[in-house]
Amino acid sequence: MSGSIKETECLVIGTGIAGSICALVAARQGVRVTLLTKRSDPFITNTNLAQGGIAYRGENDSPELFKKDIIRAGRGINSIEAVEFLVENGPAIVEELLIKGLHVEFTPLRRAEVEGFDFAQEGAHSVKRILHSADCTGKVIEKALIAALERQENVEVITGATCIDLITLQHHSKDIQARYVLKDRCLGAYVFMEEKREVDVILAQYTVLATGGLGDIYLHTTNEKGTVGDGIVMAKRAGARILNMEFVQFHPTSLYLPGKRRFLISEAVRGEGARLKNLSGEYFMDKYNPQFKDLAPRDEVTAAIWMEMIKNKEEYVLLDVANHVNGNVQERFPTIFRTCKDAGIDITREPIPVVPAAHFLCGGIHVDTRGRTTLEGLYAVGEVSCTGLHGANRLASTSLLEGLTWGCFAAKDIAERIHSGETVKEKTMRSIREWIPAGELENEDPALIAQDWMVIKHTMWNYVGIVRSSQRLKRAIRDLRHMYSRVEDFYKETAVSKDIISLFHGLQSAILVAEAAQRNRRSIGCHRLSNSFTQIKI
Ligand code: SIN
């Protein structure tokens, strides 16, 4: 089971926008980078699924206005330092790296005689400031990044590589004295290589977690399969600080097709005029937020939909595109148009049945503006991190911007440290032990794993979902902890595999969210508490 030992200067885990840009910028600065993904293709990421766009700077816009919007959506519990850092630096990085550097094709203004971009509107933005590439912005950016990485020297991309644990001095050195160092340090990761079914030791001067969020621990999500919070729980076990885990954002609109995985219906559709109505035909958002209506912050729109579904005993609401969006819907939203068409819905004629779904984690591994975590040598960028930017509720189209900005600054910081000789001694690296397999039993049973996942996903959806109560949270924690004691035993005696690692990590993530939700008695943003015991069946 123990595989090879490998050394690199910078180990980046995750190939979405944050990890890819970090790897690219670091390699361009002469750093040797190893970039890992547990998936079979680096392209398979949540970034690839991002539809709406990336916030930039619109007409009549200013950093001050952007800051106000982020903080209003975040319910005022944002890190002011992180917000100011993003609004000051983010748009310039978009321009330098994406527009001028990688020539990402954002949709231009439709009026051919005027140069510029077709800025989109999304919820809670005071002005149109979102760059988009039709409705597949993430895909276009991800393609450009992966292509640039393929051309770049100094980067090795490894697929089918699932991280099991971060390596730290205190936990994994063979040198007895290392356990007494006061400040622990991350030195890479133990990685399960799917093809050879061995665990490699990847030693790194600096390790960057860019593994994304945890939407797939919920029954309904817009996320890529297998997005279960790996990075967060590994960082937690290694001793890094984790923050704001109760703030799981539910996107208001995903396509409702009973029995089918949810598909995102971008907020940009409402930005173009589409309106939400209940099955009686009432456009209900005016009632909940008379100022922003259908373009209210996400937490409010999600809660409003939930209320309507409860009140009217309905399993979904409707998004009316046909009567409210002018222009060529098929050209503006080709992915959404095609997906709905394949499901038998012509959105130019009939409304789309929609429901909320788990979408984005506003919390995660606490980092500063360079992406440094509280554990020396460990960085976190993108959704896995908690920069504090989003507070209790993320403003639309700021996730790609956050990933890009922090990925870039983390890379620069790492390059600077490596070039100035802030590195770990060879002897320390050599003291790290090989992976010691916990168990060798080949007793993995897919039926048991599938059942455990069903329990986790239902528990999270029903008890730690859109609306929470202390009673539900108490039950969730008790059930999840009970399951954990069983799964931990199984994990310890069974030969390691991708599915078992995923279950172990997903369950730990679920417990972190449920416990954080129980600790926070204040109903705010995405953490909505209620004493009402009604529940929607979706
Ligand atoms: C969307 O297109 O609605 C999603 C964009 C985001 O998550 O910010």
Side-chain angles (χ1 to χ4, degrees), residues 90-125:
I93 295 179
V94 171
E95 184 165 326
E96 181 198 329
L97 293 179
L98 298 187
I99 301 172
K100 294 188 175 150
L102 297 179
H103 307 290
V104 173
E105 282 187 25
F106 294 112
T107 303
L109 266 179
R110 279 166 245 183
R111 287 170 290 148
E113 71 280 8
V114 191
E115 271 201 13
F117 296 108
D118 174 45
F119 290 114
Q121 180 75 57
E122 287 192 35
H125 285 271

PDB file of all heavy atoms in Angstrom, residues 90-125:
ATOM      1  N   GLY A  90      -9.105  42.714  -6.880  1.00  0.00           N
ATOM      2  CA  GLY A  90      -9.747  41.712  -7.734  1.00  0.00           C
ATOM      3  C   GLY A  90      -9.895  42.130  -9.192  1.00  0.00           C
ATOM      4  O   GLY A  90      -9.407  41.441 -10.101  1.00  0.00           O
ATOM      5  N   PRO A  91     -10.555  43.279  -9.461  1.00  0.00           N
ATOM      6  CA  PRO A  91     -10.778  43.650 -10.862  1.00  0.00           C
ATOM      7  C   PRO A  91      -9.476  43.807 -11.658  1.00  0.00           C
ATOM      8  O   PRO A  91      -9.405  43.412 -12.829  1.00  0.00           O
ATOM      9  CB  PRO A  91     -11.535  44.981 -10.738  1.00  0.00           C
ATOM     10  CG  PRO A  91     -12.255  44.865  -9.424  1.00  0.00           C
ATOM     11  CD  PRO A  91     -11.312  44.139  -8.525  1.00  0.00           C
ATOM     12  N   ALA A  92      -8.428  44.308 -11.020  1.00  0.00           N
ATOM     13  CA  ALA A  92      -7.149  44.462 -11.734  1.00  0.00           C
ATOM     14  C   ALA A  92      -6.570  43.099 -12.110  1.00  0.00           C
ATOM     15  O   ALA A  92      -5.973  42.932 -13.187  1.00  0.00           O
ATOM     16  CB  ALA A  92      -6.160  45.227 -10.858  1.00  0.00           C
ATOM     17  N   ILE A  93      -6.771  42.107 -11.251  1.00  0.00           N
ATOM     18  CA  ILE A  93      -6.261  40.759 -11.555  1.00  0.00           C
ATOM     19  C   ILE A  93      -7.067  40.127 -12.688  1.00  0.00           C
ATOM     20  O   ILE A  93      -6.516  39.440 -13.551  1.00  0.00           O
ATOM     21  CB  ILE A  93      -6.279  39.883 -10.285  1.00  0.00           C
ATOM     22  CG1 ILE A  93      -5.288  40.475  -9.274  1.00  0.00           C
ATOM     23  CG2 ILE A  93      -5.899  38.449 -10.590  1.00  0.00           C
ATOM     24  CD1 ILE A  93      -5.215  39.738  -7.966  1.00  0.00           C
ATOM     25  N   VAL A  94      -8.370  40.376 -12.688  1.00  0.00           N
ATOM     26  CA  VAL A  94      -9.202  39.869 -13.797  1.00  0.00           C
ATOM     27  C   VAL A  94      -8.649  40.425 -15.112  1.00  0.00           C
ATOM     28  O   VAL A  94      -8.472  39.707 -16.101  1.00  0.00           O
ATOM     29  CB  VAL A  94     -10.685  40.287 -13.621  1.00  0.00           C
ATOM     30  CG1 VAL A  94     -11.502  39.949 -14.862  1.00  0.00           C
ATOM     31  CG2 VAL A  94     -11.294  39.607 -12.396  1.00  0.00           C
ATOM     32  N   GLU A  95      -8.368  41.713 -15.083  1.00  0.00           N
ATOM     33  CA  GLU A  95      -7.893  42.355 -16.310  1.00  0.00           C
ATOM     34  C   GLU A  95      -6.523  41.788 -16.736  1.00  0.00           C
ATOM     35  O   GLU A  95      -6.329  41.383 -17.878  1.00  0.00           O
ATOM     36  CB  GLU A  95      -7.794  43.857 -16.075  1.00  0.00           C
ATOM     37  CG  GLU A  95      -7.402  44.607 -17.316  1.00  0.00           C
ATOM     38  CD  GLU A  95      -7.669  46.093 -17.174  1.00  0.00           C
ATOM     39  OE1 GLU A  95      -8.641  46.470 -16.509  1.00  0.00           O
ATOM     40  OE2 GLU A  95      -6.891  46.858 -17.733  1.00  0.00           O
ATOM     41  N   GLU A  96      -5.621  41.730 -15.757  1.00  0.00           N
ATOM     42  CA  GLU A  96      -4.252  41.315 -16.084  1.00  0.00           C
ATOM     43  C   GLU A  96      -4.180  39.838 -16.491  1.00  0.00           C
ATOM     44  O   GLU A  96      -3.599  39.502 -17.521  1.00  0.00           O
ATOM     45  CB  GLU A  96      -3.381  41.572 -14.852  1.00  0.00           C
ATOM     46  CG  GLU A  96      -1.914  41.214 -15.052  1.00  0.00           C
ATOM     47  CD  GLU A  96      -1.184  41.072 -13.719  1.00  0.00           C
ATOM     48  OE1 GLU A  96      -1.553  41.770 -12.755  1.00  0.00           O
ATOM     49  OE2 GLU A  96      -0.255  40.229 -13.663  1.00  0.00           O
ATOM     50  N   LEU A  97      -4.792  38.969 -15.672  1.00  0.00           N
ATOM     51  CA  LEU A  97      -4.608  37.533 -15.918  1.00  0.00           C
ATOM     52  C   LEU A  97      -5.624  36.932 -16.880  1.00  0.00           C
ATOM     53  O   LEU A  97      -5.274  36.111 -17.718  1.00  0.00           O
ATOM     54  CB  LEU A  97      -4.649  36.770 -14.592  1.00  0.00           C
ATOM     55  CG  LEU A  97      -3.484  37.050 -13.645  1.00  0.00           C
ATOM     56  CD1 LEU A  97      -3.637  36.252 -12.357  1.00  0.00           C
ATOM     57  CD2 LEU A  97      -2.148  36.714 -14.295  1.00  0.00           C
ATOM     58  N   LEU A  98      -6.884  37.323 -16.731  1.00  0.00           N
ATOM     59  CA  LEU A  98      -7.902  36.668 -17.569  1.00  0.00           C
ATOM     60  C   LEU A  98      -8.100  37.384 -18.905  1.00  0.00           C
ATOM     61  O   LEU A  98      -8.093  36.738 -19.967  1.00  0.00           O
ATOM     62  CB  LEU A  98      -9.237  36.574 -16.824  1.00  0.00           C
ATOM     63  CG  LEU A  98      -9.243  35.742 -15.532  1.00  0.00           C
ATOM     64  CD1 LEU A  98     -10.667  35.596 -15.006  1.00  0.00           C
ATOM     65  CD2 LEU A  98      -8.622  34.356 -15.743  1.00  0.00           C
ATOM     66  N   ILE A  99      -8.281  38.716 -18.859  1.00  0.00           N
ATOM     67  CA  ILE A  99      -8.616  39.416 -20.108  1.00  0.00           C
ATOM     68  C   ILE A  99      -7.370  39.574 -20.992  1.00  0.00           C
ATOM     69  O   ILE A  99      -7.349  39.114 -22.135  1.00  0.00           O
ATOM     70  CB  ILE A  99      -9.263  40.792 -19.809  1.00  0.00           C
ATOM     71  CG1 ILE A  99     -10.549  40.596 -18.977  1.00  0.00           C
ATOM     72  CG2 ILE A  99      -9.556  41.547 -21.102  1.00  0.00           C
ATOM     73  CD1 ILE A  99     -11.188  41.864 -18.463  1.00  0.00           C
ATOM     74  N   LYS A 100      -6.309  40.179 -20.415  1.00  0.00           N
ATOM     75  CA  LYS A 100      -5.120  40.427 -21.243  1.00  0.00           C
ATOM     76  C   LYS A 100      -4.212  39.204 -21.305  1.00  0.00           C
ATOM     77  O   LYS A 100      -3.608  38.926 -22.330  1.00  0.00           O
ATOM     78  CB  LYS A 100      -4.346  41.624 -20.685  1.00  0.00           C
ATOM     79  CG  LYS A 100      -5.108  42.926 -20.804  1.00  0.00           C
ATOM     80  CD  LYS A 100      -4.262  44.117 -20.439  1.00  0.00           C
ATOM     81  CE  LYS A 100      -5.032  45.409 -20.695  1.00  0.00           C
ATOM     82  NZ  LYS A 100      -4.622  46.470 -19.786  1.00  0.00           N
ATOM     83  N   GLY A 101      -4.107  38.463 -20.192  1.00  0.00           N
ATOM     84  CA  GLY A 101      -3.170  37.337 -20.128  1.00  0.00           C
ATOM     85  C   GLY A 101      -3.660  36.108 -20.879  1.00  0.00           C
ATOM     86  O   GLY A 101      -3.024  35.634 -21.812  1.00  0.00           O
ATOM     87  N   LEU A 102      -4.809  35.601 -20.490  1.00  0.00           N
ATOM     88  CA  LEU A 102      -5.291  34.336 -21.079  1.00  0.00           C
ATOM     89  C   LEU A 102      -6.294  34.564 -22.208  1.00  0.00           C
ATOM     90  O   LEU A 102      -6.757  33.609 -22.829  1.00  0.00           O
ATOM     91  CB  LEU A 102      -5.931  33.460 -19.995  1.00  0.00           C
ATOM     92  CG  LEU A 102      -4.997  32.989 -18.861  1.00  0.00           C
ATOM     93  CD1 LEU A 102      -5.772  32.160 -17.848  1.00  0.00           C
ATOM     94  CD2 LEU A 102      -3.839  32.161 -19.413  1.00  0.00           C
ATOM     95  N   HIS A 103      -6.622  35.821 -22.471  1.00  0.00           N
ATOM     96  CA  HIS A 103      -7.574  36.183 -23.532  1.00  0.00           C
ATOM     97  C   HIS A 103      -8.899  35.429 -23.399  1.00  0.00           C
ATOM     98  O   HIS A 103      -9.440  34.909 -24.381  1.00  0.00           O
ATOM     99  CB  HIS A 103      -6.957  35.929 -24.925  1.00  0.00           C
ATOM    100  CG  HIS A 103      -5.629  36.595 -25.087  1.00  0.00           C
ATOM    101  ND1 HIS A 103      -5.491  37.949 -25.172  1.00  0.00           N
ATOM    102  CD2 HIS A 103      -4.379  36.080 -25.143  1.00  0.00           C
ATOM    103  CE1 HIS A 103      -4.212  38.259 -25.265  1.00  0.00           C
ATOM    104  NE2 HIS A 103      -3.508  37.150 -25.240  1.00  0.00           N
ATOM    105  N   VAL A 104      -9.388  35.361 -22.165  1.00  0.00           N
ATOM    106  CA  VAL A 104     -10.687  34.718 -21.943  1.00  0.00           C
ATOM    107  C   VAL A 104     -11.745  35.553 -22.666  1.00  0.00           C
ATOM    108  O   VAL A 104     -11.767  36.785 -22.548  1.00  0.00           O
ATOM    109  CB  VAL A 104     -11.010  34.636 -20.425  1.00  0.00           C
ATOM    110  CG1 VAL A 104     -12.433  34.129 -20.208  1.00  0.00           C
ATOM    111  CG2 VAL A 104     -10.009  33.734 -19.723  1.00  0.00           C
ATOM    112  N   GLU A 105     -12.595  34.857 -23.392  1.00  0.00           N
ATOM    113  CA  GLU A 105     -13.587  35.588 -24.190  1.00  0.00           C
ATOM    114  C   GLU A 105     -14.859  35.853 -23.406  1.00  0.00           C
ATOM    115  O   GLU A 105     -15.741  35.007 -23.322  1.00  0.00           O
ATOM    116  CB  GLU A 105     -13.904  34.807 -25.467  1.00  0.00           C
ATOM    117  CG  GLU A 105     -12.804  34.991 -26.482  1.00  0.00           C
ATOM    118  CD  GLU A 105     -13.146  34.372 -27.821  1.00  0.00           C
ATOM    119  OE1 GLU A 105     -14.355  34.221 -28.132  1.00  0.00           O
ATOM    120  OE2 GLU A 105     -12.195  34.047 -28.538  1.00  0.00           O
ATOM    121  N   PHE A 106     -14.941  37.033 -22.825  1.00  0.00           N
ATOM    122  CA  PHE A 106     -16.177  37.425 -22.161  1.00  0.00           C
ATOM    123  C   PHE A 106     -17.104  38.053 -23.195  1.00  0.00           C
ATOM    124  O   PHE A 106     -16.642  38.672 -24.161  1.00  0.00           O
ATOM    125  CB  PHE A 106     -15.874  38.411 -21.026  1.00  0.00           C
ATOM    126  CG  PHE A 106     -15.086  37.781 -19.902  1.00  0.00           C
ATOM    127  CD1 PHE A 106     -13.766  38.158 -19.648  1.00  0.00           C
ATOM    128  CD2 PHE A 106     -15.652  36.787 -19.111  1.00  0.00           C
ATOM    129  CE1 PHE A 106     -13.038  37.565 -18.619  1.00  0.00           C
ATOM    130  CE2 PHE A 106     -14.927  36.190 -18.081  1.00  0.00           C
ATOM    131  CZ  PHE A 106     -13.613  36.580 -17.843  1.00  0.00           C
ATOM    132  N   THR A 107     -18.392  37.865 -22.979  1.00  0.00           N
ATOM    133  CA  THR A 107     -19.367  38.351 -23.962  1.00  0.00           C
ATOM    134  C   THR A 107     -19.250  39.869 -24.126  1.00  0.00           C
ATOM    135  O   THR A 107     -19.335  40.607 -23.133  1.00  0.00           O
ATOM    136  CB  THR A 107     -20.794  37.964 -23.528  1.00  0.00           C
ATOM    137  OG1 THR A 107     -20.828  36.546 -23.380  1.00  0.00           O
ATOM    138  CG2 THR A 107     -21.842  38.398 -24.542  1.00  0.00           C
ATOM    139  N   PRO A 108     -19.057  40.341 -25.364  1.00  0.00           N
ATOM    140  CA  PRO A 108     -18.951  41.794 -25.570  1.00  0.00           C
ATOM    141  C   PRO A 108     -20.328  42.449 -25.613  1.00  0.00           C
ATOM    142  O   PRO A 108     -21.353  41.766 -25.699  1.00  0.00           O
ATOM    143  CB  PRO A 108     -18.269  41.891 -26.938  1.00  0.00           C
ATOM    144  CG  PRO A 108     -18.635  40.622 -27.634  1.00  0.00           C
ATOM    145  CD  PRO A 108     -18.892  39.568 -26.590  1.00  0.00           C
ATOM    146  N   LEU A 109     -20.321  43.741 -25.573  1.00  0.00           N
ATOM    147  CA  LEU A 109     -21.568  44.498 -25.707  1.00  0.00           C
ATOM    148  C   LEU A 109     -22.283  44.111 -26.987  1.00  0.00           C
ATOM    149  O   LEU A 109     -21.628  43.902 -28.018  1.00  0.00           O
ATOM    150  CB  LEU A 109     -21.248  45.995 -25.771  1.00  0.00           C
ATOM    151  CG  LEU A 109     -21.289  46.773 -24.476  1.00  0.00           C
ATOM    152  CD1 LEU A 109     -20.921  48.217 -24.743  1.00  0.00           C
ATOM    153  CD2 LEU A 109     -22.683  46.703 -23.849  1.00  0.00           C
ATOM    154  N   ARG A 110     -23.593  44.064 -26.899  1.00  0.00           N
ATOM    155  CA  ARG A 110     -24.326  43.635 -28.094  1.00  0.00           C
ATOM    156  C   ARG A 110     -24.358  44.722 -29.160  1.00  0.00           C
ATOM    157  O   ARG A 110     -24.529  44.442 -30.327  1.00  0.00           O
ATOM    158  CB  ARG A 110     -25.739  43.203 -27.698  1.00  0.00           C
ATOM    159  CG  ARG A 110     -25.742  41.773 -27.151  1.00  0.00           C
ATOM    160  CD  ARG A 110     -27.029  41.444 -26.438  1.00  0.00           C
ATOM    161  NE  ARG A 110     -26.753  41.220 -25.021  1.00  0.00           N
ATOM    162  CZ  ARG A 110     -27.662  40.859 -24.138  1.00  0.00           C
ATOM    163  NH1 ARG A 110     -28.902  40.692 -24.493  1.00  0.00           N
ATOM    164  NH2 ARG A 110     -27.342  40.662 -22.882  1.00  0.00           N
ATOM    165  N   ARG A 111     -24.147  45.986 -28.735  1.00  0.00           N
ATOM    166  CA  ARG A 111     -24.142  47.066 -29.726  1.00  0.00           C
ATOM    167  C   ARG A 111     -22.764  47.086 -30.379  1.00  0.00           C
ATOM    168  O   ARG A 111     -21.761  47.433 -29.740  1.00  0.00           O
ATOM    169  CB  ARG A 111     -24.408  48.409 -29.047  1.00  0.00           C
ATOM    170  CG  ARG A 111     -25.850  48.568 -28.624  1.00  0.00           C
ATOM    171  CD  ARG A 111     -26.020  49.779 -27.742  1.00  0.00           C
ATOM    172  NE  ARG A 111     -25.392  49.550 -26.436  1.00  0.00           N
ATOM    173  CZ  ARG A 111     -24.826  50.492 -25.695  1.00  0.00           C
ATOM    174  NH1 ARG A 111     -24.755  51.715 -26.136  1.00  0.00           N
ATOM    175  NH2 ARG A 111     -24.303  50.217 -24.521  1.00  0.00           N
ATOM    176  N   ALA A 112     -22.683  46.667 -31.599  1.00  0.00           N
ATOM    177  CA  ALA A 112     -21.398  46.445 -32.264  1.00  0.00           C
ATOM    178  C   ALA A 112     -20.549  47.712 -32.370  1.00  0.00           C
ATOM    179  O   ALA A 112     -19.334  47.652 -32.359  1.00  0.00           O
ATOM    180  CB  ALA A 112     -21.635  45.866 -33.651  1.00  0.00           C
ATOM    181  N   GLU A 113     -21.241  48.888 -32.415  1.00  0.00           N
ATOM    182  CA  GLU A 113     -20.467  50.122 -32.623  1.00  0.00           C
ATOM    183  C   GLU A 113     -19.723  50.575 -31.344  1.00  0.00           C
ATOM    184  O   GLU A 113     -18.854  51.419 -31.387  1.00  0.00           O
ATOM    185  CB  GLU A 113     -21.373  51.243 -33.176  1.00  0.00           C
ATOM    186  CG  GLU A 113     -22.395  51.828 -32.226  1.00  0.00           C
ATOM    187  CD  GLU A 113     -23.652  50.973 -32.056  1.00  0.00           C
ATOM    188  OE1 GLU A 113     -23.710  49.825 -32.558  1.00  0.00           O
ATOM    189  OE2 GLU A 113     -24.578  51.468 -31.404  1.00  0.00           O
ATOM    190  N   VAL A 114     -20.096  50.010 -30.202  1.00  0.00           N
ATOM    191  CA  VAL A 114     -19.447  50.427 -28.945  1.00  0.00           C
ATOM    192  C   VAL A 114     -18.602  49.266 -28.415  1.00  0.00           C
ATOM    193  O   VAL A 114     -19.059  48.138 -28.345  1.00  0.00           O
ATOM    194  CB  VAL A 114     -20.504  50.779 -27.872  1.00  0.00           C
ATOM    195  CG1 VAL A 114     -19.850  51.477 -26.673  1.00  0.00           C
ATOM    196  CG2 VAL A 114     -21.609  51.609 -28.452  1.00  0.00           C
ATOM    197  N   GLU A 115     -17.367  49.582 -28.041  1.00  0.00           N
ATOM    198  CA  GLU A 115     -16.505  48.530 -27.481  1.00  0.00           C
ATOM    199  C   GLU A 115     -16.805  48.350 -26.010  1.00  0.00           C
ATOM    200  O   GLU A 115     -17.186  49.280 -25.327  1.00  0.00           O
ATOM    201  CB  GLU A 115     -15.042  48.937 -27.644  1.00  0.00           C
ATOM    202  CG  GLU A 115     -14.478  48.471 -28.950  1.00  0.00           C
ATOM    203  CD  GLU A 115     -12.969  48.405 -28.915  1.00  0.00           C
ATOM    204  OE1 GLU A 115     -12.374  48.479 -27.837  1.00  0.00           O
ATOM    205  OE2 GLU A 115     -12.393  48.295 -30.005  1.00  0.00           O
ATOM    206  N   GLY A 116     -16.614  47.164 -25.527  1.00  0.00           N
ATOM    207  CA  GLY A 116     -16.796  46.950 -24.084  1.00  0.00           C
ATOM    208  C   GLY A 116     -17.477  45.625 -23.819  1.00  0.00           C
ATOM    209  O   GLY A 116     -17.763  44.853 -24.747  1.00  0.00           O
ATOM    210  N   PHE A 117     -17.720  45.375 -22.559  1.00  0.00           N
ATOM    211  CA  PHE A 117     -18.324  44.099 -22.186  1.00  0.00           C
ATOM    212  C   PHE A 117     -19.811  44.250 -21.914  1.00  0.00           C
ATOM    213  O   PHE A 117     -20.281  45.315 -21.513  1.00  0.00           O
ATOM    214  CB  PHE A 117     -17.641  43.557 -20.926  1.00  0.00           C
ATOM    215  CG  PHE A 117     -16.196  43.238 -21.142  1.00  0.00           C
ATOM    216  CD1 PHE A 117     -15.198  44.028 -20.582  1.00  0.00           C
ATOM    217  CD2 PHE A 117     -15.829  42.150 -21.914  1.00  0.00           C
ATOM    218  CE1 PHE A 117     -13.859  43.727 -20.786  1.00  0.00           C
ATOM    219  CE2 PHE A 117     -14.491  41.848 -22.133  1.00  0.00           C
ATOM    220  CZ  PHE A 117     -13.506  42.638 -21.568  1.00  0.00           C
ATOM    221  N   ASP A 118     -20.501  43.132 -22.091  1.00  0.00           N
ATOM    222  CA  ASP A 118     -21.918  43.083 -21.766  1.00  0.00           C
ATOM    223  C   ASP A 118     -22.036  42.726 -20.278  1.00  0.00           C
ATOM    224  O   ASP A 118     -22.116  41.553 -19.934  1.00  0.00           O
ATOM    225  CB  ASP A 118     -22.603  42.009 -22.632  1.00  0.00           C
ATOM    226  CG  ASP A 118     -24.045  41.804 -22.235  1.00  0.00           C
ATOM    227  OD1 ASP A 118     -24.750  42.806 -22.042  1.00  0.00           O
ATOM    228  OD2 ASP A 118     -24.460  40.632 -22.091  1.00  0.00           O
ATOM    229  N   PHE A 119     -22.017  43.719 -19.411  1.00  0.00           N
ATOM    230  CA  PHE A 119     -22.086  43.433 -17.980  1.00  0.00           C
ATOM    231  C   PHE A 119     -23.457  42.893 -17.608  1.00  0.00           C
ATOM    232  O   PHE A 119     -24.478  43.427 -18.026  1.00  0.00           O
ATOM    233  CB  PHE A 119     -21.789  44.691 -17.164  1.00  0.00           C
ATOM    234  CG  PHE A 119     -20.350  45.106 -17.259  1.00  0.00           C
ATOM    235  CD1 PHE A 119     -19.992  46.293 -17.873  1.00  0.00           C
ATOM    236  CD2 PHE A 119     -19.352  44.288 -16.750  1.00  0.00           C
ATOM    237  CE1 PHE A 119     -18.663  46.670 -17.966  1.00  0.00           C
ATOM    238  CE2 PHE A 119     -18.018  44.657 -16.842  1.00  0.00           C
ATOM    239  CZ  PHE A 119     -17.668  45.848 -17.459  1.00  0.00           C
ATOM    240  N   ALA A 120     -23.429  41.829 -16.781  1.00  0.00           N
ATOM    241  CA  ALA A 120     -24.687  41.232 -16.340  1.00  0.00           C
ATOM    242  C   ALA A 120     -25.063  41.782 -14.972  1.00  0.00           C
ATOM    243  O   ALA A 120     -24.221  42.281 -14.227  1.00  0.00           O
ATOM    244  CB  ALA A 120     -24.532  39.719 -16.249  1.00  0.00           C
ATOM    245  N   GLN A 121     -26.347  41.652 -14.676  1.00  0.00           N
ATOM    246  CA  GLN A 121     -26.883  42.035 -13.364  1.00  0.00           C
ATOM    247  C   GLN A 121     -27.152  40.756 -12.586  1.00  0.00           C
ATOM    248  O   GLN A 121     -27.625  39.775 -13.146  1.00  0.00           O
ATOM    249  CB  GLN A 121     -28.191  42.794 -13.578  1.00  0.00           C
ATOM    250  CG  GLN A 121     -28.873  43.259 -12.301  1.00  0.00           C
ATOM    251  CD  GLN A 121     -28.160  44.464 -11.690  1.00  0.00           C
ATOM    252  OE1 GLN A 121     -28.012  45.478 -12.341  1.00  0.00           O
ATOM    253  NE2 GLN A 121     -27.710  44.334 -10.446  1.00  0.00           N
ATOM    254  N   GLU A 122     -26.820  40.750 -11.320  1.00  0.00           N
ATOM    255  CA  GLU A 122     -27.249  39.631 -10.463  1.00  0.00           C
ATOM    256  C   GLU A 122     -27.731  40.182  -9.133  1.00  0.00           C
ATOM    257  O   GLU A 122     -27.591  41.381  -8.856  1.00  0.00           O
ATOM    258  CB  GLU A 122     -26.119  38.610 -10.290  1.00  0.00           C
ATOM    259  CG  GLU A 122     -25.899  37.788 -11.556  1.00  0.00           C
ATOM    260  CD  GLU A 122     -24.997  36.583 -11.355  1.00  0.00           C
ATOM    261  OE1 GLU A 122     -25.031  35.969 -10.282  1.00  0.00           O
ATOM    262  OE2 GLU A 122     -24.246  36.272 -12.296  1.00  0.00           O
ATOM    263  N   GLY A 123     -28.253  39.287  -8.299  1.00  0.00           N
ATOM    264  CA  GLY A 123     -28.892  39.702  -7.059  1.00  0.00           C
ATOM    265  C   GLY A 123     -28.003  40.558  -6.171  1.00  0.00           C
ATOM    266  O   GLY A 123     -26.822  40.264  -5.994  1.00  0.00           O
ATOM    267  N   ALA A 124     -28.601  41.635  -5.625  1.00  0.00           N
ATOM    268  CA  ALA A 124     -27.997  42.497  -4.605  1.00  0.00           C
ATOM    269  C   ALA A 124     -26.794  43.314  -5.087  1.00  0.00           C
ATOM    270  O   ALA A 124     -26.103  43.923  -4.272  1.00  0.00           O
ATOM    271  CB  ALA A 124     -27.626  41.695  -3.362  1.00  0.00           C
ATOM    272  N   HIS A 125     -26.533  43.344  -6.378  1.00  0.00           N
ATOM    273  CA  HIS A 125     -25.512  44.254  -6.917  1.00  0.00           C
ATOM    274  C   HIS A 125     -26.216  45.577  -7.263  1.00  0.00           C
ATOM    275  O   HIS A 125     -27.247  45.560  -7.939  1.00  0.00           O
ATOM    276  CB  HIS A 125     -24.885  43.681  -8.201  1.00  0.00           C
ATOM    277  CG  HIS A 125     -23.913  42.564  -7.945  1.00  0.00           C
ATOM    278  ND1 HIS A 125     -22.576  42.785  -7.731  1.00  0.00           N
ATOM    279  CD2 HIS A 125     -24.079  41.224  -7.877  1.00  0.00           C
ATOM    280  CE1 HIS A 125     -21.957  41.621  -7.543  1.00  0.00           C
ATOM    281  NE2 HIS A 125     -22.857  40.659  -7.630  1.00  0.00           N
TER     282      HIS A 125
END
